Structures are given as C-alpha cells and as structure tokens.
Amino acid sequence: MFKLSFPAPQRDRDPLAICAAIAIAFLVLLWQRLHLPTRIYFDEVHYVKAARELLLMARPKNPEHPLVAKEFIAAAIWLFGDTPQSWRLFPALFGSLGLFAFSRALWLASGRAFATVAGTLLLATDFLWFVMSRIAMLDMIMAGFAMLALWMLAGAVRWPGQARLRLVLAGVFLGLSLGAKWSVLATAMLPGLAFLVLRLRQHGRRFLLATDGAPIPGISLAEAGLWLGTLPLLAYFASFMPAFFYAERPVNPLHLVEYQGYMLKLQHSVVKPHPYQSVWWQWVLDIRAIWFLYEKIDGVQRGVLLLGNPFSLLAGLPALGWCLWAGWRQRRMDALAAALFYLTAIGMWVANGKPIQFFYHYLLPSTFLMAGLALALDALWRRPDRWRWAAPAALALSVALFAWFLPILSAAALCCGKPSYQAWMWLPTWR
C-alpha cells in the first residue's frame, strides 16, 4: 500500500542568494526594451484599454475577465503615465517576483539546492515565462500570485508552527490569482483537495475536525477549508469592488455570483477561428508558436515570438514520467506534487470546452513541468556514476537556446531585415 511521506529535513545549503540573483538578473533583462514596441500590440489591445476605462470609472471593458490584473495595469498608468513601459511594468515585476517565489516553493518542497537552482534557471529560460513577463496581458500577474501562494503553502507544510499565517497568505494570493485570470482555477483547487484526500485516508469519519497528521499537523480540514476555500473566494469577489461604481452599467454587488455566469458566457461566445489558435497537445509538443509582433518598429525589423524552449519543454515530458515513478516507488512527495500540479493544470485545458485556445494557456502547466525537470536533473546530479555531467549540461543547453532565441523573444533589432526570422524557424508550424 502506498504510504505518505514528506521530504526529510533539509540537508543542502539554502541557495537563497543564488536564486535571488537569478530573479534580479531576469528583471534586468526584462527591462531591456520593455518599452518596445512603442504602441499596443497583440492582446494588449484588450487589457490596456480596459485599464484606461477603470481609471475613468466609465463603463465595463473586457468584462469576460476578472479585474485584478487590469487593476494593476491601471495603477501603473496612474502612477507613471500612460506609456508602454508603464503598461508592462507589473507583468515584469510579477514575472521576476513569481520566479523567485517559484524557487522558494521548490526549495521548501524538496530541500535540494541543485534542484532549486536548476528549476529557477529552467523557468527563467523556458521562453514562455520571459515573453509573458514583457507584455501587458493578464497571465503573468495570475501566475505570479499563484507562485506566491505555492511558496506560502510549501512553507506551511515544512514549518507547521508558521502554518496558520502562511495559509492565510496563501488563501489571499490564490484569490488574487483567480481574480487576475481564471486559468489558475484547477491549480488553486488542488491544495485543498489534497488536504481533503490525506485527512480522509488518515482519519476516516473524523476527517473534518482531526488536527493530527499530514499534510500540516495542528490544522484541521475545517480550518484549512476556511483559509484555502472561503478566504480565496472573499479576496476574489472583493477585487470586483471598482466595478460597482462604473458610471455606465455598474455591476450589482447583490448579483455578483450571477455575474460570473455572464462572464463565462462571454468567454465561450468567441468562436471565430483565429490563425494562431492551438490545442493542448500542440503545446505539449511545442509545435505551435504565436507571433505577438513582427514588423518594423523605430525603423528596424523586430519580432516577439511566443514559443517554448525546444529542449526543456520536451525534456520535461520524460521527467514527468520519472516524477510519477519517484512519487510512487520512492515516496518522493516533491516529485509527485510537481507531476500532479502539471497534470491538473494541463488537464483543465484538455477538458475545457472553451472553443478558441492559445499557446499562452500553457504558461502554468509548463511552469510545473520545469519543476519536475529540475527534480529529475537533481536525481541525475546525485548519481555516483559518469552520467551526472548530463544534469549541468542540460541547464547549459537550456540557457544557450534562450540566448540564441533572445532576439525574437525581446523585440531586438533583427540584423538582416524582414527575412531574418527564418534562422529561428526550425519547424514550419513555428512560422
């Protein structure tokens, strides 16, 4: 019978400084050309305009999505002016903060220094996290809050004495993540469901009020439900408060629950085919890219391509299998958690009835895939045989590919004019 166990006390030295340095370097790299293009591009057209309407408190704009991310974009415009760099400020900050939070969650869950540093590097260079941190869309603010929540949750499991405060913070972050974009819904539900399953296995009919045992001794399921269920919903609904005061068509706070159905209906009403739409298995195989931008800006040809790192996204798939095996046979709960978070996040899109989907919906699943790959590389690094060199070699390859593709990830000037993009088009479906 499978028996639950948690990681042994940390043996490695905490790589806090290294991971902080990676996150800071990531922010510095994001800041280069963050103002380019010097106009709205791709889906910024929806969210920047919605943020402007929020500042005017005029009318609902982009009502199919919740407000948190648009509120942050509006705050940046109010604080620093209506400029391209302001629009993209908070996605860049949440991308860097979310990268650091990811590293802390991975460290607290695994206690393994190499896995933590590897995971931070892999996520920073997986292409998706970088590109989505440079555009004024909802996704990175959603993902940043999700990583902050997982950091708090991992700390609650690691240090039960701090659990209550960390669970409260995790609940607020989950609610704000959901308030940025619904793509996090399945991921946000998983910690509470895991708590329920574990308590049912350990306590049977006493599962609701028992406080002993995994995952957090001293916290009952009833209390966990308050912090991970009720509190996120309160934070989520509170984020709609500005919509109550629109000059035209304000949201009725007494009908806020029914309003969610209206939002869902709007999301499913988009059925017109899009040239860049794709489905989940194309994301997994990294065979469908999206050109966010490809045109002359400031007199030179520039491009922004949303693509996955062709090494790390594919290498993550066998690593996912290893995580499932290690979770079952070796009782590695860190590996099992990475696999379950990935399968839950991608499973939402497999089962989702939304007719038009895009590669950027793979942002969260690919994040958990990088965690799984990092743990698999750590196991390889710890082997006493000659194959341990493959772990740092894999990291070097991921970083090298990121450096090679960086010009078309970051709107750099392309040296050879319009045809220059062909050097990076390894597959016809990337065009």
Side-chain angles (χ1 to χ4, degrees):
M1 180 182 293
F2 181 79
K3 183 179 179 181
L4 176 71
S5 62
F6 284 84
Q10 297 161 357
R11 302 185 304 273
D12 297 350
R13 188 172 183 176
D14 187 350
L16 172 65
I18 297 174
C19 294
I22 294 172
I24 292 170
F26 185 80
L27 179 59
V28 170
L29 192 58
L30 287 175
W31 204 257
Q32 306 301 311
R33 295 185 297 279
L34 189 63
H35 66 289
L36 293 175
T38 53
R39 57 164 180 77
I40 288 172
Y41 77 114
F42 198 65
D43 276 2
E44 286 184 340
V45 67
H46 304 299
Y47 310 123
V48 173
K49 290 182 178 180
R52 290 168 176 166
E53 292 289 342
L54 268 174
L55 288 173
L56 296 172
M57 294 306 296
R59 63 185 65 83
K61 189 80 173 178
N62 184 242
E64 62 267 31
H65 291 295
L67 293 179
V68 167
K70 290 174 282 189
E71 289 165 346
F72 273 98
I73 296 171
I77 293 173
W78 181 72
L79 288 168
F80 305 110
D82 195 349
T83 67
Q85 202 155 26
S86 295
W87 308 336
R88 300 162 193 152
L89 172 64
F90 277 111
L93 292 177
F94 272 94
S96 304
L97 180 60
L99 178 65
F100 180 71
F102 170 86
S103 75
R104 301 314 296 160
L106 189 54
W107 166 250
L108 291 170
S110 70
R112 296 169 183 260
F114 184 89
T116 302
V117 174
T120 310
L121 279 174
L122 288 168
L123 184 59
T125 60
D126 81 339
F127 297 9
L128 284 95
W129 196 268
F130 180 81
V131 173
M132 296 307 295
S133 296
R134 297 187 76 258
I135 187 169
M137 291 172 60
L138 313 179
D139 302 74
M140 189 47 64
I141 295 174
M142 172 271 294
F145 273 124
M147 294 305 107
L148 287 169
L150 292 180
W151 176 10
M152 294 300 104
L153 287 167
V157 174
R158 175 65 68 183
W159 298 307
Q162 303 175 9
R164 189 163 285 109
L165 174 60
R166 288 178 174 270
L167 287 177
V168 169
L169 291 173
V172 172
F173 291 147
L174 287 175
L176 294 176
S177 180
L178 189 62
K181 195 170 185 181
W182 286 355
S183 300
V184 77
L185 178 60
T187 301
M189 294 173 62
L190 187 57
L193 290 174
F195 207 116
L196 170 62
V197 170
L198 293 174
R199 287 300 168 88
L200 275 171
R201 287 174 57 86
Q202 295 171 87
H203 296 292
R205 289 178 295 181
R206 295 178 52 249
F207 73 98
L208 189 60
L209 298 178
T211 59
D212 56 308
I216 305 175
I219 302 291
S220 69
L221 177 63
E223 182 180 356
L226 176 64
W227 306 134
L228 300 180
T230 304
L231 184 58
L233 288 176
L234 291 175
Y236 171 77
F237 286 122
S239 70
F240 282 87
M241 191 174 296
F244 304 159
F245 303 100
Y246 285 131
E248 298 178 24
R249 305 193 306 277
V251 176
N252 187 335
L254 299 179
H255 297 154
L256 192 52
V257 174
E258 293 92 327
Y259 187 74
Q260 309 306 303
Y262 169 68
M263 294 168 60
L264 183 62
K265 183 179 178 180
L266 288 176
Q267 290 195 19
H268 284 267
S269 68
V270 180
V271 295
K272 182 181 178 180
H274 191 284
Y276 281 134
Q277 71 184 70
S278 54
V279 293
W280 67 271
W281 59 267
Q282 293 174 309
W283 313 339
V284 170
L285 297 177
D286 198 18
I287 60 175
R288 190 73 175 106
I290 302 177
W291 281 104
F292 281 1
L293 174 81
Y294 192 72
E295 61 184 80
K296 280 193 174 182
I297 302 290
D298 294 339
V300 296
Q301 192 71 31
R302 301 180 189 273
V304 176
L305 180 70
L306 182 67
L307 174 72
N309 187 310
F311 166 71
S312 59
L313 258 66
L314 294 179
L317 300 178
L320 176 68
W322 175 86
C323 285
L324 290 170
W325 175 85
W328 182 259
R329 298 296 300 272
Q330 298 181 350
R331 311 302 187 256
R332 285 284 303 275
M333 295 307 297
D334 51 353
L336 183 60
L340 290 178
F341 271 109
Y342 174 82
L343 293 173
T344 300
I346 191 66
M348 173 177 170
W349 294 106
V350 176
N352 196 312
K354 190 173 182 178
I356 307 296
Q357 300 178 13
F358 298 95
F359 184 46
Y360 54 75
H361 292 142
Y362 198 50
L363 177 64
L364 270 184
S366 64
T367 300
F368 300 125
L369 195 66
M370 294 305 97
L373 178 57
L375 292 169
L377 291 177
D378 178 81
L380 189 61
W381 172 249
R382 291 172 185 270
R383 287 169 62 104
D385 57 32
R386 60 183 180 177
W387 290 105
R388 72 192 305 259
W389 65 267
L395 297 181
L397 181 55
S398 180
V399 173
L401 285 171
F402 177 76
W404 169 253
F405 278 87
L406 185 60
I408 60 168
L409 303 177
S410 61
L414 302 180
C415 65
C416 306
K418 192 170 183 179
S420 60
Y421 77 95
Q422 297 181 32
W424 294 282
M425 297 297 101
W426 296 359
L427 297 177
T429 51
W430 288 1
R431 293 177 180 269

